[in-house]
């Protein structure tokens, strides 16, 4: 059984930082693409960042470029999203998603088969 568990969310002031973690079990993590998505209340889930199976390729959506870093530790079956200079508009539930064995980046929801339960990030002004 595949498990995807996010942690690290919370309440932070604008300009602050958070590091989200995504612990994965039950599949060959080193062969999977990983993505971080977010869902703002009332809006569709959207991609934030993605990383390829080996970490060589990364993708960032425009609203986090320069403020976020996605990384992974295949030995620990864990992925991370470091977010800096957080803004109130970053307030959302953040989800980690993991694909089946996948070559390259995966940037759309339907490329991911496994999702975590989400972690709330709230940025106060």
């Amino acid at each position: 059984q595949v498990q995807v568990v996010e942690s690290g969310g919370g309440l932070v002031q604008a300009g602050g930082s958070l590091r989200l973690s995504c612990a994965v079990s039950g599949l060959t993590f080193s062969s999977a693409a990983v993505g971080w998505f977010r869902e703002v209340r009332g809006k569709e889930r959207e991609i934030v960042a993605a990383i390829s199976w080996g970490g060589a390729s990364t993708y960032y959506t425009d609203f986090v470029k320069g403020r976020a870093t996605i990384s992974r530790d295949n030995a620990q079956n864990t992925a991370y999203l470091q977010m800096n200079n957080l803004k109130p508009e970053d307030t959302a539930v953040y989800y980690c998603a993991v694909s089946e064995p996948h070559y390259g980046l995966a940037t759309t929801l339907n490329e991911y088969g496994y999702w975590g339960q989400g972690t709330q990030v709230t940025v106060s002004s």
Side-chain angles (χ1 to χ4, degrees), residues 92-108:
V93 178
Y94 285 72
Y95 296 90
C96 178
V98 183
S99 73
E100 296 284 357
H102 186 96
Y103 180 77
L105 289 168
T107 59
T108 62

Side-chain angles (χ1 to χ4, degrees), residues 4-13 16-23 36 78-84 86 90 92-96 117-123:
V4 179
V5 181
E6 304 100 334
S7 60
L11 175 64
V12 63
Q13 288 188 331
S17 298
L18 280 176
R19 188 193 197 202
L20 305 182
S21 298
C22 173
W36 284 96
T78 304
Y80 305 95
L81 181 67
Q82 174 73 41
M83 295 190 295
N84 303 318
L86 283 160
D90 292 320
V93 178
Y94 285 72
Y95 296 90
C96 178
Q117 79 289 351
T119 185
Q120 176 71 47
V121 171
T122 302
V123 184

Side-chain angles (χ1 to χ4, degrees), residues 107-120:
T107 59
T108 62
L109 277 77
N110 61 10
E111 292 180 275
Y112 290 97
Y114 306 101
W115 294 81
Q117 79 289 351
T119 185
Q120 176 71 47

